[in-house]
Amino acid sequence: VESMEWEELRSEFREKYAVLEDKIFTSVSEPRRLAGRTIDGSTIAGLLDTYCASIASKDGGLATQLSQLPTQRQMVVRLAGERAVQQAVAAYRATLHEALPTLPVDQAQLAAAHLQAHTEALGVFRREAMLDSEADIDSDNLPFFEAFNKQVAEWSVQATPLELGTGGSSEAASASSSSAASMPAISCAELRTLVGGHLRTVWDANLKLSTERCQAELDRLFAAVLSRRDAGEFGSVDELRAELRRLQCAYADSAQASGPAKQPLGHRFFAEHTSLEPSLLAVSLSRRDLTSQVEAAKQEMLEAMRSALSSQQSSHDKQLDDLVCWQHVGHCRC
């Protein structure tokens, strides 16, 4: 087309071209305005100078900003990593819920379910991040792997000293002429504390529910003991202690009391009541015996007083009879 003359072109094409040319010139014939200013040649030249200076700037310029943009590979890694974290955390939640449909459970059972869910979620993470199942986590995916672990279970790690020993060999110590002791060697272990993540949420909920159910079971079992104690059915402290031991066995066998709070809560509860309740019962029995003795003494005193009054009344009646008799005898003599 470029080698053809204008007259050699088809008439239809020349008509359409004329319409397009007129439309283009009409659209550019009116001056453009930007921010209230008319854009002319000098304005465009100034914009070009500013644009070129920004590109050429070494400190924070456009060239620097363009160089900081992620590459296509980095964008793919980022999208895959974010999706891997999302899918892996969702898989962990689903697997943990499937392994633990109801709470509370023992800590060992919860730890085993966490290990199983974390293993399956890790496989999901590797698949979504396009990593081999046996390969190490590379530097590009390491931030996403750390984010995944943090959302699952966040741990606080602290070094704890285990034992102290004497560093250095005995030969070195004997060969040394210095009297200063050798530096102690410290063995440490990592103390890990669960501080966040979905596992911490489930852990807290499991402990709370276990505490509530165990306390309710203890209250239910102990209510019968309190009822018998208040009714005075225990005749001795040994009888109450035997009932508390039976109650402790019933609590240990109860299916209603389960979870991590069962053992520490039960130990604290029975340690308190095993020492308190027999003491209270002993005081109550002592008061009961003392009351019985006082009542018996009162009854004995009342009986003695009644007997004395009865004797006095009989003596008084006899004296009256004698007096009447003497008066009658004296009257007859007169």
Side-chain angles (χ1 to χ4, degrees):
V1 177
E2 296 177 353
S3 61
M4 297 177 63
E5 297 293 336
W6 174 257
E7 290 78 8
E8 296 177 355
L9 297 174
R10 291 184 298 114
S11 59
E12 294 85 356
F13 178 81
R14 285 182 294 178
E15 291 178 359
K16 296 294 183 180
Y17 181 83
V19 173
L20 177 62
E21 183 181 25
D22 181 67
K23 186 175 181 180
I24 292 175
F25 280 112
T26 302
S27 62
V28 301
S29 61
E30 298 180 357
R32 299 293 180 178
R33 301 183 65 84
L34 179 63
R37 297 180 55 187
T38 302
I39 301 178
D40 52 13
S42 60
T43 304
I44 296 177
L47 292 174
L48 288 174
D49 290 339
T50 303
Y51 180 74
C52 293
S54 176
I55 293 178
S57 177
K58 297 181 179 180
D59 187 13
L62 183 59
T64 304
Q65 297 177 9
L66 291 175
S67 65
Q68 294 176 352
L69 291 176
T71 62
Q72 182 179 3
R73 177 182 175 278
Q74 291 173 337
M75 287 294 296
V76 172
V77 170
R78 178 178 178 181
L79 293 175
E82 291 177 350
R83 177 175 175 80
V85 172
Q86 181 181 3
Q87 295 296 325
V89 172
Y92 173 84
R93 289 172 177 263
T95 305
L96 190 64
H97 179 71
E98 182 179 357
L100 304 175
T102 59
L103 297 177
V105 295
D106 294 335
Q107 291 182 348
Q109 187 177 354
L110 178 56
H114 160 69
L115 182 60
Q116 175 187 355
H118 186 271
T119 301
E120 296 190 12
L122 181 59
V124 175
F125 178 86
R126 288 181 175 275
R127 184 178 66 250
E128 295 296 333
M130 296 175 291
L131 296 173
D132 295 335
S133 58
E134 301 297 332
D136 295 334
I137 305 297
D138 54 28
S139 58
D140 292 334
N141 289 285
L142 184 59
F144 303 103
F145 180 70
E146 292 176 349
F148 156 68
N149 283 324
K150 187 175 181 180
Q151 293 186 37
V152 167
E154 183 179 1
W155 300 89
S156 173
V157 181
Q158 182 180 2
T160 303
L162 295 179
E163 59 183 6
L164 297 178
T166 303
S169 62
S170 59
E171 293 81 359
S174 60
S176 176
S177 59
S178 175
S179 60
S182 59
M183 295 295 294
I186 303 177
S187 299
C188 295
E190 287 187 351
L191 179 62
R192 303 180 67 195
T193 305
L194 184 63
V195 297
H198 184 66
L199 178 61
R200 177 57 189 268
T201 302
V202 176
W203 192 284
D204 292 343
N206 184 59
L207 179 59
K208 180 180 179 182
L209 188 57
S210 174
T211 302
E212 293 175 351
R213 291 191 177 182
C214 291
Q215 186 62 54
E217 183 66 5
L218 285 171
D219 294 340
R220 185 188 69 82
L221 294 173
F222 196 65
V225 178
L226 293 179
S227 178
R228 292 186 58 189
R229 185 200 66 183
D230 296 339
E233 298 181 8
F234 294 110
S236 66
V237 175
D238 292 337
E239 185 178 352
L240 174 60
R241 287 198 176 101
E243 181 65 16
L244 289 176
R245 287 193 295 269
R246 187 198 65 80
L247 180 66
Q248 191 170 2
C249 294
Y251 174 75
D253 297 336
S254 175
Q256 297 297 325
S258 61
K262 181 173 184 177
Q263 182 175 357
L265 192 62
H267 177 75
R268 183 169 62 250
F269 181 88
F270 288 107
E272 176 184 352
H273 288 281
T274 301
S275 60
L276 178 61
E277 293 301 329
S279 301
L280 293 177
L281 180 62
V283 173
S284 177
L285 292 176
S286 299
R287 289 179 177 177
R288 188 189 307 173
D289 294 340
L290 182 60
T291 302
S292 300
Q293 294 176 7
V294 170
E295 289 295 330
K298 287 171 61 178
Q299 291 296 330
E300 185 178 354
M301 291 177 62
L302 289 174
E303 290 296 331
M305 291 175 64
R306 290 192 186 99
S307 177
L309 290 174
S310 177
S311 299
Q312 291 179 2
Q313 185 67 33
S314 298
S315 176
H316 181 68
D317 292 343
K318 185 175 181 303
Q319 291 177 1
L320 288 176
D321 291 341
D322 292 343
L323 181 60
V324 170
C325 182
W326 279 106
Q327 288 178 352
H328 179 70
V329 171
H331 179 72
C332 290
R333 288 180 179 179
C334 293

